[in-house]
Amino acid sequence: MWTHPRAIGLLVGYGLDRVFADPRRWHPVAGFGTTALRVERALYRDSRASGVVHAAALIGSMTALGVASSRVAARVGAPAEVALVAAATWAALGGTSLSKVGRQMADHLDNDDLESARALLPSLCGRDPEPLDSDGLARAALESIAENTSDATVGVLVWGALAGVPGILAYRASNTLDAMVGYRSPKYLRFGWAAARIDDVLNLLPARVTGVATVVAAPSVQGSPARALKMWRRDAAQHPSPNAGVAEASAAGALGLQLGGRTQYRHGVEIRPTLGDGHAPTARDLRRSVALSSRVQELSAVASAILSVAIGQARIRRRRLA
């Protein structure tokens, strides 16, 4: 049973997230965010060099914590390794909470409760909700769900499979820092550069795993795998992010929607390229996107466990040949 503790831990952690979602109090990621804010106050300078030190210190410390805890668990035994991987996976995942917020947003829009919808939007993304109408809120939420399916779930599982607990902690630290300082605002344009670039690199593989899973999952929301693949290949590269474009374009194709366009953040307005050929998102499409996200998460959890087993088997073979 304990031959592949990492794979078992990933599946258990994923199951814990599905059952319990994020803890309302004492969330480890929130604790990391508080620490990161304190470090930022001490290190902030309007320069890339300061941003590099900031990112390296925080991501490096979380990686070191992952390495140290994994070594202790390995000495204790496989059950401890499973428990550690499961706990780290559960703490880092945010897929169930993402789906919950998406459904809440759809409920508000169905009830024409734009005030509540605007109040909820900041929990999904950093856009300015005040000027958005119902369609604008639906589009912002749907794009955020598509992107965060990769960030909040697939990335955690992929890096857990590849590098265990150190990979999970480093990935979540990078992703959290990107959400905090990786903006193109005047304050963070230089200081947040390192966090944003590290996050881009760490998300290269997870975003493409998300794209593949979205293509496979398209029929579960009455979508076309061929269209999801087509929109990914045609439109993803137009997006300013090398990774968000993959998740959003494939989702647009799977759902038969058109995403992108004028996007207003608190620090300014960006004109995003359009992704997909369909109609503008509605509350009904938002529910479909939540269903698609859940299916992508399921597929990614299974794929990550299989990848972890394959990596483990390769290590076993190398030891036998040594």
Side-chain angles (χ1 to χ4, degrees):
M1 176 179 177
W2 305 108
T3 305
H4 299 288
R6 184 183 297 178
I8 298 171
L10 287 171
L11 291 176
V12 171
Y14 173 75
L16 290 172
D17 179 66
R18 294 300 293 263
V19 174
F20 298 109
D22 292 328
R24 294 187 177 183
R25 300 181 63 187
W26 310 109
H27 196 301
V29 175
F32 173 81
T34 300
T35 300
L37 185 59
R38 291 173 180 166
V39 175
E40 177 189 338
R41 288 171 180 160
L43 295 179
Y44 180 82
R45 303 289 187 278
D46 187 18
S47 71
R48 286 188 176 184
S50 295
V52 169
V53 173
H54 174 254
L58 288 163
I59 298 172
S61 64
M62 294 305 295
T63 305
L65 175 62
V67 171
S69 59
S70 295
R71 288 177 177 172
V72 171
R75 286 197 292 269
V76 173
E81 292 182 88
V82 170
L84 179 63
V85 173
T89 302
W90 174 55
L93 287 175
T96 300
S97 295
L98 177 69
S99 296
K100 180 180 178 180
V101 175
R103 286 190 291 268
Q104 290 175 339
M105 178 67 76
D107 289 341
H108 292 326
L109 296 179
D110 279 341
N111 296 326
D112 294 323
D113 187 357
L114 297 189
E115 182 177 349
S116 295
R118 290 184 181 118
L120 184 61
L121 187 65
S123 64
L124 282 171
C125 60
R127 301 185 193 184
D128 184 359
E130 293 308 316
L132 298 179
D133 59 10
S134 180
D135 288 348
L137 288 163
R139 190 199 117 200
L142 196 149
E143 290 175 352
S144 179
I145 288 170
E147 179 179 359
N148 283 302
T149 297
S150 177
D151 291 352
T153 299
V154 180
V156 172
L157 294 167
V158 168
W159 279 103
L162 292 174
V165 172
I168 292 170
L169 298 188
Y171 175 80
R172 177 47 68 209
S174 169
N175 193 251
T176 302
L177 287 182
D178 181 57
M180 294 178 69
V181 304
Y183 294 103
R184 297 180 179 179
S185 63
K187 179 178 181 180
Y188 292 125
L189 185 61
R190 284 175 284 275
F191 183 79
W193 173 84
R197 297 292 78 75
I198 293 170
D199 187 66
D200 283 344
V201 171
L202 293 183
N203 269 302
L204 284 171
L205 179 58
R208 282 138 190 90
V209 172
T210 302
V212 172
T214 300
V215 171
V216 174
S220 69
V221 290
Q222 294 76 52
S224 165
R227 191 169 186 80
L229 180 59
K230 178 182 177 181
M231 295 303 105
W232 172 5
R233 296 178 63 184
R234 192 193 75 180
D235 293 342
Q238 301 179 57
H239 197 284
S241 166
N243 301 315
V246 174
E248 292 181 24
S250 58
L255 297 167
L257 302 173
Q258 184 175 90
L259 304 178
R262 189 177 190 275
T263 304
Q264 185 159 345
Y265 295 93
R266 295 193 182 278
H267 62 266
V269 174
E270 296 181 17
I271 304 301
R272 296 285 179 85
T274 56
L275 309 173
D277 289 332
H279 60 273
T282 64
R284 179 178 178 277
D285 296 312
L286 188 52
R287 294 187 192 281
R288 292 175 64 222
S289 78
V290 171
L292 178 65
S293 173
S294 295
R295 184 59 175 157
V296 168
Q297 293 174 44
E298 293 169 3
L299 292 170
S300 300
V302 173
S304 295
I306 293 172
L307 174 61
S308 181
V309 169
I311 292 172
Q313 287 295 109
R315 288 174 176 167
I316 292 171
R317 285 195 296 269
R318 283 199 301 269
R319 288 170 187 165
R320 288 173 178 172
L321 295 172

